[in-house]
């Protein structure tokens, strides 16, 4: 197995149910990967800054694809950014609000994630689980910047239905319900797979030299960028159908243990 690039989703894949991971084991894995000139990528809906906060100094020499593949960050420098024009973003937010005013909308710009100040404390916890830089506002029309993405968190689990209800925007933006509780909306043509292709181009690495780990429906796009496709045991059945390997559960350091096994570390 000739691997030069490792890509992993975070929630439900690399991170356990408490949003934690085995730091010692990952540190050892990173040293082994580095010694074999294998590059490591986190590919996630989380803000890049949130990834840096969770992973700490182990993000050194690690690519972070954050905000649902709209940004690439490497050692503190942004290498790529894709945005939605402000007016279009506000129109989408208006449509989402009309569908269900109780769902939590997270409007992300290059600087901060904006959330209405009326959301509950419970929803604030969900927001801060994925976003480091958050500002609470009274109305989304206060936002004048373009958007990296617009995300919906729906505690009632109706995000697949919500995505279907705004599918008339499909010719203007990319819409994906990664799971029942989350919808991500990004620039048209931008998803985990297309942004991984950008890193592969930067590093001159082929999809045949890439292994990807995931658990959600948005990781179907991620798998399109890799020859070796690993779905977690806890993954959606639709993703497992696309995989050529099933890893142990994310609560048992599945990504780390699978890499150690496959790469004989």
């Amino acid at each position: 197995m000739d691997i030069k690039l490792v890509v992993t989703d975070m929630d439900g894949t690399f991170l356990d149910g408490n949003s934690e991971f085995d730091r010692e084991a990952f540190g050892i894995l990173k040293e082994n990967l580095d010694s074999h000139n294998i590059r490591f990528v986190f590919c996630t809906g989380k803000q890049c800054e949130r990834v840096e906060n969770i992973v700490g100094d182990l993000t050194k020499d690690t690519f972070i694809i954050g905000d649902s593949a709209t940004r690439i960050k490497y050692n503190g420098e942004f290498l790529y950014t894709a945005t939605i024009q402000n007016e279009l973003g506000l129109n989408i937010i208006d449509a989402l609000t009309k569908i269900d005013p109780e769902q939590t909308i997270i409007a992300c710009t290059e600087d901060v994630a904006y959330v209405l100040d009326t959301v509950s404390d419970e929803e604030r916890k969900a927001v801060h689980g994925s976003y480091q830089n958050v500002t609470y506002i009274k109305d989304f029309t206060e936002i004048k910047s373009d958007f990296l993405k617009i995300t919906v968190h729906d505690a009632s689990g109706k995000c697949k239905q919500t995505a279907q209800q705004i599918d008339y925007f499909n010719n203007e933006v990319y819409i994906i319900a990664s799971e029942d509780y989350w919808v991500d909306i990004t620039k048209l043509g931008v998803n985990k797979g297309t942004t991984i292709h950008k890193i592969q181009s930067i590093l001159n690495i082929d999809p045949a030299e890439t292994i990807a780990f995931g658990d959600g429906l948005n990781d179907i796009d991620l798998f399109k960028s890799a020859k070796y496709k690993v779905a977690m045991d806890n993954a959606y059945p639709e993703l497992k159908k696309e995989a050529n390997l099933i890893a142990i559960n994310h609560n048992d350091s599945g990504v780390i243990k699978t890499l150690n096994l496959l790469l004989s570390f």
Side-chain angles (χ1 to χ4, degrees):
M1 181 179 285
D2 185 18
I3 297 296
K4 294 184 179 178
L5 185 67
V6 174
V7 186
T8 182
D9 172 55
M10 293 196 76
D11 291 315
T13 302
F14 182 79
L15 299 176
D16 64 21
N18 295 315
S19 293
E20 297 175 353
F21 64 98
D22 187 331
R23 293 179 181 274
E24 181 179 0
F26 182 55
I28 295 169
L29 172 65
K30 278 282 272 118
E31 289 179 3
N32 285 326
L33 292 173
D34 291 343
S35 69
H36 289 79
N37 294 314
I38 300 172
R39 310 305 294 269
F40 192 92
V41 181
F42 286 115
C43 188
T44 176
K46 295 181 182 298
Q47 257 178 353
C48 293
E49 293 81 4
R50 182 62 182 145
V51 178
E52 291 168 331
N53 181 266
I54 292 171
V55 181
D57 59 4
L58 290 172
T59 57
K60 183 180 184 297
D61 298 330
T62 297
F63 286 90
I64 301 171
I65 294 180
D67 282 296
S68 301
T70 62
R71 305 196 96 176
I72 300 174
K73 193 173 188 180
Y74 182 72
N75 287 343
E77 179 183 356
F78 287 106
L79 307 181
Y80 167 75
T81 300
T83 58
I84 300 170
Q85 192 261 344
N86 178 269
E87 182 179 0
L88 173 58
L90 291 176
N91 288 340
I92 294 169
I93 290 171
D94 183 59
L96 289 168
T97 301
K98 289 175 180 175
I99 290 171
D100 182 2
E102 297 303 313
Q103 62 192 350
T104 298
I105 297 172
I106 307 164
C108 302
T109 68
E110 294 184 49
D111 298 317
V112 69
Y114 290 98
V115 182
L116 293 182
D117 59 13
T118 52
V119 299
S120 67
D121 289 343
E122 192 65 27
E123 283 300 287
R124 291 184 185 223
K125 290 179 183 177
V127 171
H128 286 278
S130 290
Y131 301 92
Q132 190 70 21
N133 302 326
V134 181
T135 295
Y136 292 92
I137 55 177
K138 294 190 178 300
D139 194 286
F140 287 113
T141 57
E142 296 176 32
I143 303 171
K144 305 304 178 186
S145 302
D146 290 342
F147 298 93
L148 286 174
K149 68 164 183 171
I150 297 161
T151 289
V152 172
H153 179 255
D154 187 348
S156 66
K158 298 177 182 177
C159 279
K160 291 180 182 177
Q161 295 94 313
T162 296
Q164 292 172 352
Q165 287 178 270
I166 58 168
D167 63 2
Y168 53 88
F169 285 109
N170 276 338
N171 63 338
E172 298 179 272
V173 291
Y174 176 76
I175 303 168
I176 181 70
S178 58
E179 55 177 278
D180 295 333
Y181 301 95
W182 293 96
V183 174
D184 290 317
I185 302 163
T186 57
K187 183 177 180 178
L188 188 65
V190 173
N191 59 58
K192 287 186 173 185
T194 60
T195 305
I196 286 298
H197 283 313
K198 291 187 179 297
I199 285 184
Q200 288 167 332
S201 178
I202 291 169
L203 298 175
N204 194 28
I205 292 175
D206 194 85
E209 302 167 313
T210 303
I211 185 169
F213 293 80
D215 75 300
L217 299 177
N218 57 341
D219 294 319
I220 293 174
D221 290 313
L222 173 59
F223 278 7
K224 294 175 182 177
S225 69
K227 176 181 178 180
Y228 305 102
K229 316 166 199 295
V230 186
M232 311 310 290
D233 181 58
N234 51 281
Y236 274 83
E238 295 93 328
L239 186 70
K240 288 183 175 180
K241 290 179 181 178
E242 303 294 325
N244 40 40
L245 183 67
I246 306 299
I248 58 176
N249 195 282
H250 70 124
N251 285 316
D252 195 20
S253 299
V255 171
I256 296 171
K257 289 181 178 178
T258 300
L259 286 170
N260 284 332
L261 178 64
L262 293 178
L263 301 174
S264 301
F265 291 160

